[in-house]
Amino acid sequence: MTFQTRSRVFLARHGLSHSPQIHILDLISEIGEIAKALLEASDYDESPPRRTLALAEELGDAFFSLIALAESLDVDLETALEKVLAKYESRLAEKGHCGSRDEPATTTDLKPNHTLKEHTDADES
């Protein structure tokens, strides 16, 4: 049984199927929790991220939320993944990168004025 089939059965058995609008909000919330866990696992970008149970759990939550969203839209994620991988393979062959732009994005001009931890601490004040 595929991950999507298992999730479909679980959603139906527990009455967790909702509209796509509800599922997208849940997915966005889970992405925020991944960001928080990643920040904590990297000491707010002061060190490389550690593999933590919290980070793994949040990734699992987001994955399930994405599957639930796909189910609410009747999208087969396996098929969608195959199509996107083929699209990226084609772009890599044609452009040398998988982005949709003609030129790959660069980050050379993005120099922070302060650390991520300082930025986060300032936001919480």
Side-chain angles (χ1 to χ4, degrees):
M1 189 181 313
T2 68
F3 65 83
Q4 193 160 352
T5 302
R6 289 179 58 207
S7 297
R8 180 182 310 122
V9 169
F10 183 87
L11 288 161
R13 185 173 63 230
H14 296 287
L16 297 173
S17 298
H18 303 290
S19 70
Q21 294 86 337
I22 297 299
H23 287 299
I24 191 67
L25 288 172
D26 185 52
L27 178 58
I28 291 166
S29 173
E30 294 300 342
I31 296 295
E33 291 179 24
I34 291 171
K36 180 181 177 187
L38 183 58
L39 286 171
E40 290 171 348
S42 67
D43 298 318
Y44 291 84
D45 205 27
E46 295 294 320
S47 62
R50 298 175 310 281
R51 292 183 188 177
T52 65
L53 181 59
L55 185 53
E57 287 178 353
E58 296 304 343
L59 285 165
D61 287 345
F63 186 48
F64 178 73
S65 293
L66 177 63
I67 296 166
L69 174 61
E71 279 298 302
S72 72
L73 295 167
D74 198 28
V75 171
D76 181 297
L77 287 173
E78 189 76 32
T79 301
L81 178 62
E82 291 303 322
K83 286 181 181 180
V84 78
L85 290 175
K87 174 178 71 176
Y88 290 160
E89 285 285 350
S90 175
R91 286 180 182 171
L92 284 165
E94 292 173 15
K95 302 177 185 181
H97 61 87
C98 60
S100 59
R101 295 178 170 188
D102 288 333
E103 296 292 325
T106 63
T107 59
T108 56
D109 296 331
L110 301 176
K111 303 266 193 241
N113 294 329
H114 52 320
T115 68
L116 187 56
K117 182 163 178 33
E118 292 168 338
H119 176 73
T120 305
D121 289 345
D123 286 348
E124 292 177 358
S125 313

